Amino acid sequence: MAERGASGGGSGGDSLDKSITLPPDEIFRNLENAKRFAIDIGGSLTKLAYYSTVQHKVAKVRSFDHPGKDTEQDHEPPYEISVQEEITARLHFIKFENTYMEACLDFIKDHLVNTETKVIQATGGGAYKFKDLIEEKLRLKVDKEDVMTCLIKGCNFVLKNIPHEAFMYQKDSDPEFRFQTNHPNIFPYLLVNIGSGVSIVKVETEDRFEWIGGSSIGGGTFWGLGALLTKTKKFDELLQLASRGRHANVDMLVQDVYGGAHQTLGLSGNLIASSFGKSATADREFSKEDMAKSLLHMISNDIGQLACLYAKLHGLDRVYFGGFFIRGHPVTMRTITYSINFFSKGEVQALFLRHEGYLGAIGAFLKGAEQDNPNQYSWGENYAGSSGLMSTSPDLCPTQRARSGTFDLLEMDRLERPLVNLPLLLDPSSYVPDTVDLTDDALARQYWLTCFEEALDGVVERAVASQPESTDAAERAEKFRQKYWSKLQTLRHQPCAYGTLTVRSLLDTREHCLNEFNFPDPYSKVKQTENGLALKYFQSVTRSLDLLGWEERQLALVKGLLAGNVFDWGAKAVSDVLESDPQFGFEEAKRKLQERPWLVDSYSKWLQRLKGPPHKCALIFADNSGIDIILGVFPFVRELLFRGTEVILACNSGPALNDVTYSESLIVAERIAAMDPIVHSALREERLLLVQTGSSSPCLDLSRLDKGLAVLVRERGADLVVIEGMGRAIHTNYHAALCCESLKLAVVKNAWLAERLGGRLFSVIFKYEVPTE
C-alpha cells in the first residue's frame, strides 16, 4: 500500500482524525458484520483483529432438465447460469498508531451492527492502559490474554496459512528478500521476539512451547540509549538516522587493533572489535547518524549471537525474528542475519516474517475463537484487501516506509475446504510451484507487469459484458480497474510487497480484485456458449478417432489435447483471434500447432510407454472450458478408460478466466455420457471420478490442493499425473518433481515467452517424465 503522510488531508470522514487519508470504510471493511474482536496494544502501535462475514456474488450453473432431447439438435445452451449471493468468512487485521485509538473505537462503535460477542480478547502492555476506554466505547468486556501464548499461536497460523510469509534478508543480492515456500512441517523452531527486551521461545508443536531465555538488551535499549545519545525521541527517526550513519567512525574494528596483522589471524579487518571503542580515545564530536548506526549494530549483533547460541544449544536450524524492533528495517535485518551466519558458520537460518506485527493480535483472536476454531480451516491472503510489505529502503522511498499517519491492512479469506499437499510430490519441502521468480528476474518482471497493464481494458470490457442486466456494472468495473492498476504500480516499485512475485500471484491478485467488485465469473457466458458448441462436435471427433489405427490414434489424441489447449482467453494472441474470427475452431487450432519435432518433445517415449501395461489410475488437471475439455481432454480420458486405466479428472473449484470449473465439468460429463457408452459406464462404475482442486486460479499449486482430492489419489493409487495448459504446466509445475509418471503439455500462446523458451508462438511443450529409481 502506498503510504500516506499524516498531513495528507483527504476523506477521513467525520468520526476519524482528518489526517487519515484512507476513507474509514476502506479501513474497517465489513465491520457491520463483525462477529468477534481481538486487540494487541503495544507502546506505539495497535493491532486490531476481527472476524466478519462477507456477502459476495457467485456464478452458479445448473443443468436444464430436457429428457429425451437429441443433444446434437439442441440449440439451447447446455446449462443455465444464475448469479447468487453467498456468505463467506474473512479475517481482518488492521495496524495503526495508538494516537488514533479513540477515533477508531468511536468509528467501530458507530458501525457495529451484528456482533455476536460481549468480549474482546486483548494482549500487549497497552491492554491494561486502554482497558477502561475500550470497555466504555465498545461496551465489550476486555479479556486479557498471555502475550507469549498469543505470539506463538499467531506465528504458527501465518506460517501455515500464508505462502511466502517467511523470508531471509540478503544485503547485496537483488532482490534483498528471499521468500521461503511453506514447509509442510513448521516445527520445531526458535522464535526470538524483540520488543523492549528480548524473549526467546522454543516452539515444538501447535500447543507445546517453552520460554528458554531472553535479554534485557532489546528495542527499548536502542530507543532509550539512542534518545540519550542523539536527543531523538522517536523510534522511526532513530532508525532513519542509523540508516544514514557509518558505524566505523565510532566502532573500533579489528583492523584498528591489529593493523595488517589481522589477516594472519584469519579475521576480517571490518569486524567490530569494540562497539563505540573509538569514542573513548578520539578527541572529536560524533554525528548522531554514526552513533545511531553503531548502537543498532551493537544491539542487533548481540541479539543475533544470543539467538544463534540458543539455536545451537537446542539443535534448531530455523530462527524467526519478530517484534517492534524489527519493523522491516534493512539495517536491523542485515545485522541480525550477518551475526547469525557468522556465529553459526551458516548452519542456522535467520528468518523474518512479512506480518510479524500482527502475531499477537492473530494469537489473541485465535484464543477467543475456540468454538469455531479457525485452525480447522485453510485460509488464504486476500491480495485485494491487504497492504504490501514496506519498502526496503527508507532513504530512497520515505513515503512508502514510515507508515506514520496511515493504516496497514491484512485480510484473509476462509477457504471452503482444507488444502494439503498432493501425495505424489517427490519432496513437498523443496517443491516450488512457480517456474520464474519475477522478483529475481527484472526483465521478465517488466514484461509481465506491462502485459497485465495492457490486458486491463479487455478484462474490464469482459466484466461489464458478463452482467448486461446490471445498471452499475460499468461503475464497478472502473473501480476494479483502478484497484488492480494501483496494485500493479505498487509491484513495479516493490516487487516483494506480497512475497515472491510470479505470474501466478499477478493472476490471483486480478481474480481477488474482480471478486471484490462483484464480478465472480466474467467469462461465464463465453464458457456456456463454447461448451454448448463443443458438445455438438464430440461424437464426430470420437468417430473420426475410432476409425484410425492404434498408433495413428495416439498421436491424434495428443494433437487434439494440444489443439484444445489453444482456446485460452487468458492469452492475448488467442483472444485477439477469437474476437476477430468467431468461426475459428478445432481444425484451425490443429493447423496452428508447431510441427514435430516440438519445442519439448518426449512423444516417442510416451508412445513406447503406451505399448506396455495400462496405468492403474491417471490424475488429470484440466484447463479451459469448451473445445479444450470436451474435444481435447475427454477423448484422451476415453482412451485411457478403454485401456483399463481409472481416471480422476480435477477441475478448479472456483472460476478463473475461461478455465472449466468443477460444477461445469459435472454437466459436461453428464452430456458426454449421454452420447458415449465408454464414458457412461465409467461414470456409473466410478472408474471416472470428477473432483475439485480447491483452487480458483489459472495456475496450479500442488502444495495447496483439496483434501478430498489427496485422499482419492491415495486410495486409487494414481500412477500417472497429466497437467495441461500454459498456466498449470509452464508458469507453474514445469520443474515439479513427482514420484510417479507425469505428462506436462501446453501450447505456448505468448510470443515473448515462446522466444524465451527458444521457440515461436504456438510452439508445443510435450514433457513426459518418469521418476528415477
Side-chain angles (χ1 to χ4, degrees):
M1 175 171 87
E3 293 310 322
R4 283 90 169 164
S7 59
S11 54
D14 293 333
S15 55
L16 280 185
D17 190 302
K18 292 293 180 190
S19 64
I20 299 169
T21 59
L22 268 179
D25 56 354
E26 281 188 31
I27 301 165
F28 299 99
R29 285 148 50 95
N30 307 302
L31 186 61
E32 67 281 3
N33 296 315
K35 308 299 180 198
R36 269 184 301 288
F37 286 89
I39 197 162
D40 174 15
I41 310 172
S44 62
L45 291 174
T46 294
K47 286 75 69 177
L48 178 74
Y50 61 95
Y51 165 88
S52 183
T53 52
V54 184
Q55 202 161 21
H56 66 111
K57 288 184 166 58
V58 288
K60 295 278 189 183
V61 298
R62 190 170 69 86
S63 188
F64 288 115
D65 188 19
H66 294 317
K69 276 203 174 188
D70 183 343
T71 52
E72 285 205 38
Q73 301 305 313
D74 185 3
H75 294 295
E76 289 189 39
Y79 51 81
E80 60 179 328
I81 305 166
S82 62
V83 175
Q84 299 173 15
E85 292 284 344
E86 235 179 44
I87 291 174
T88 54
R90 182 173 288 172
L91 291 177
H92 298 261
F93 303 98
I94 302 160
K95 184 160 60 179
F96 55 89
E97 293 178 12
N98 291 356
T99 48
Y100 298 122
M101 175 71 80
E102 195 155 351
C104 288
L105 291 175
D106 280 335
F107 185 82
I108 293 167
K109 178 186 70 177
D110 293 344
H111 292 77
L112 216 50
V113 181
N114 298 316
T115 187
E116 297 170 349
T117 185
K118 300 294 177 204
V119 175
I120 179 167
Q121 259 62 36
T123 189
Y128 297 87
K129 181 179 176 181
F130 291 99
K131 176 179 181 292
D132 294 343
L133 182 68
I134 294 167
E135 290 187 337
E136 176 201 330
K137 294 279 187 189
L138 299 187
R139 299 182 183 87
L140 298 175
K141 178 178 175 289
V142 171
D143 213 346
K144 290 190 281 294
E145 300 290 351
D146 174 65
V147 172
M148 200 52 64
T149 303
C150 292
L151 276 172
I152 302 304
K153 275 188 171 292
C155 192
N156 292 341
F157 186 80
V158 296
L159 288 174
K160 282 194 304 182
N161 287 288
I162 305 185
H164 303 150
E165 172 62 29
F167 61 89
M168 292 188 293
Y169 186 83
Q170 297 172 325
K171 175 193 171 187
D172 297 317
S173 64
D174 183 19
E176 295 169 311
F177 298 106
R178 290 278 165 197
F179 293 92
Q180 307 285 290
T181 51
N182 275 34
H183 200 282
N185 183 12
I186 62 173
F187 305 109
Y189 65 84
L190 203 66
L191 177 64
V192 178
N193 193 61
I194 315 168
S196 298
V198 180
S199 294
I200 300 176
V201 186
K202 179 184 179 182
V203 185
E204 296 185 83
T205 67
E206 196 68 56
D207 301 305
R208 196 165 80 240
F209 59 88
E210 178 189 1
W211 186 91
I212 57 172
S215 171
S216 61
I217 301 170
T221 317
F222 173 66
W223 199 350
L225 281 177
L228 290 172
L229 288 167
T230 68
K231 308 300 181 215
T232 301
K233 293 292 184 185
K234 291 189 175 175
F235 193 90
D236 277 319
E237 282 180 19
L238 262 177
L239 288 176
Q240 287 275 17
L241 287 174
S243 66
R244 296 195 296 269
R246 291 176 59 83
H247 76 96
N249 291 338
V250 181
D251 293 341
M252 190 176 287
L253 307 182
V254 166
Q255 65 194 18
D256 298 322
V257 179
Y258 291 99
H262 68 82
Q263 291 173 328
T264 60
L265 300 172
L267 294 171
S268 164
N270 292 322
L271 276 179
I272 298 171
S274 173
S275 294
F276 287 92
K278 287 179 184 169
S279 58
T281 55
D283 187 20
R284 62 183 174 87
E285 290 292 314
F286 294 95
S287 76
K288 291 179 180 182
E289 289 82 357
D290 293 348
M291 288 190 291
K293 182 67 162 280
S294 174
L295 183 61
L296 187 63
H297 269 297
M298 181 178 85
I299 290 167
S300 301
N301 272 320
D302 186 58
I303 293 169
Q305 182 174 14
L306 202 59
C308 174
L309 291 171
Y310 275 108
K312 299 282 274 184
L313 187 65
H314 291 269
L316 301 172
D317 59 5
R318 274 176 296 162
V319 182
Y320 294 104
F321 289 89
F324 177 79
F325 180 66
I326 303 290
R327 303 292 287 279
H329 189 257
V331 179
T332 313
M333 294 190 293
R334 188 162 73 222
T335 312
I336 287 174
T337 300
Y338 178 83
S339 180
I340 287 267
N341 285 340
F342 180 81
F343 289 110
S344 77
K345 296 183 171 59
E347 290 176 13
V348 177
Q349 255 185 352
L351 293 158
F352 305 93
L353 301 168
R354 275 205 293 140
H355 299 103
E356 55 90 7
Y358 293 117
L359 301 187
I362 292 170
F365 176 81
L366 294 172
K367 284 282 286 178
E370 267 91 8
Q371 61 264 51
D372 57 348
N373 183 6
N375 274 316
Q376 69 192 0
Y377 301 100
S378 288
W379 298 79
E381 181 175 5
N382 185 315
Y383 295 128
S386 297
S387 312
L389 190 68
M390 64 167 56
S391 162
T392 60
S393 173
D395 299 325
L396 294 176
C397 219
T399 55
Q400 290 186 331
R401 210 204 121 263
R403 296 244 184 266
S404 80
T406 190
F407 287 68
D408 187 63
L409 311 173
L410 166 64
E411 288 184 6
M412 297 184 72
D413 291 326
R414 191 175 85 187
L415 308 176
E416 286 181 36
R417 42 193 56 80
L419 301 183
V420 297
N421 282 309
L422 177 69
L424 300 171
L425 280 173
L426 189 62
D427 177 17
S429 64
S430 65
Y431 168 70
V432 177
D434 305 287
T435 307
V436 178
D437 179 347
L438 301 182
T439 35
D440 223 5
D441 188 331
L443 207 63
R445 178 170 72 245
Q446 294 313 315
Y447 172 77
W448 285 111
L449 285 169
T450 303
C451 207
F452 278 88
E453 285 170 359
E454 289 174 351
L456 198 45
D457 285 347
V459 178
V460 168
E461 285 169 26
R462 179 69 53 200
V464 175
S466 72
Q467 298 181 2
E469 301 85 19
S470 170
T471 53
D472 68 342
E475 183 188 339
R476 284 184 287 111
E478 186 53 37
K479 286 180 178 174
F480 153 74
R481 179 209 300 278
Q482 290 169 8
K483 181 99 176 204
Y484 189 55
W485 176 265
S486 166
K487 292 284 178 188
L488 291 174
Q489 302 325 301
T490 297
L491 292 166
R492 274 199 184 278
H493 298 112
Q494 294 171 257
C496 298
Y498 298 94
T500 302
L501 182 63
T502 62
V503 173
R504 175 169 63 104
S505 67
L506 288 169
L507 285 162
D508 289 351
T509 304
R510 188 166 71 184
E511 293 300 323
H512 291 181
C513 291
L514 280 165
N515 279 313
E516 180 173 333
F517 296 104
N518 273 323
F519 293 106
D521 193 355
Y523 289 84
S524 56
K525 288 186 165 55
V526 172
K527 291 187 288 181
Q528 181 192 43
T529 302
E530 291 183 350
N531 283 329
L533 283 169
L535 281 165
K536 292 178 175 58
Y537 293 103
F538 178 79
Q539 281 180 298
S540 63
V541 166
T542 52
R543 277 197 291 263
S544 300
L545 287 164
D546 290 345
L547 292 172
L548 300 173
W550 181 84
E551 198 156 315
E552 202 183 349
R553 186 166 73 248
Q554 303 317 309
L555 183 59
L557 283 162
V558 164
K559 282 187 173 175
L561 252 182
L562 293 164
N565 192 244
V566 168
F567 292 82
D568 180 357
W569 281 85
K572 192 172 186 307
V574 176
S575 61
D576 287 349
V577 171
L578 297 176
E579 293 277 15
S580 61
D581 181 7
Q583 302 306 309
F584 183 85
F586 194 41
E587 295 307 315
E588 286 85 351
K590 285 181 187 173
R591 288 194 286 274
K592 284 266 186 198
L593 294 178
Q594 175 191 17
E595 291 294 322
R596 288 193 68 198
W598 295 321
L599 185 58
V600 175
D601 195 334
S602 318
Y603 177 73
S604 301
K605 193 175 159 191
W606 168 246
L607 185 67
Q608 203 55 40
R609 169 63 186 87
L610 288 179
K611 292 173 180 173
H615 295 91
K616 185 176 189 303
C617 176
L619 167 62
I620 301 177
F621 290 100
D623 190 6
N624 306 304
S625 282
I627 287 175
D628 193 357
I629 188 158
I630 293 165
L631 305 185
V633 173
F634 262 100
F636 187 81
V637 166
R638 183 174 172 268
E639 181 76 11
L640 287 172
L641 293 167
F642 182 71
R643 279 173 59 80
T645 300
E646 292 182 350
V647 175
I648 300 168
L649 185 60
C651 300
N652 270 9
S653 297
L657 296 172
N658 66 315
D659 292 3
V660 64
T661 63
Y662 167 69
S663 52
E664 290 159 0
S665 74
L666 292 175
I667 296 170
V668 164
E670 172 195 311
R671 294 290 295 271
I672 287 173
M675 299 183 249
D676 189 273
I678 295 174
V679 173
H680 182 271
S681 64
L683 279 171
R684 194 184 64 239
E685 295 160 15
E686 295 189 342
R687 290 181 295 109
L688 170 58
L689 297 149
L690 277 67
V691 295
Q692 50 191 323
T693 60
S695 169
S696 301
S697 171
C699 295
L700 182 64
D701 182 350
L702 298 176
S703 68
R704 284 171 72 81
L705 289 179
D706 182 69
K707 194 174 181 180
L709 167 58
V711 169
L712 200 56
V713 163
R714 272 201 194 91
E715 285 176 355
R716 295 296 172 113
D719 55 354
L720 171 66
V721 174
V722 181
I723 305 175
E724 67 131 359
M726 204 163 77
R728 290 165 180 77
I730 298 179
H731 292 316
T732 53
N733 300 304
Y734 190 73
H735 301 302
L738 301 172
C739 56
C740 68
E741 293 173 52
S742 64
L743 260 185
K744 298 166 187 174
L745 48 109
V747 178
V748 187
K749 293 153 289 193
N750 175 286
W752 181 88
L753 181 61
E755 193 178 326
R756 253 211 168 190
L757 293 168
R760 292 178 292 112
L761 198 60
F762 300 113
S763 289
V764 168
I765 302 288
F766 187 92
K767 196 177 185 189
Y768 170 58
E769 295 175 306
V770 180
T772 50
E773 290 300 328

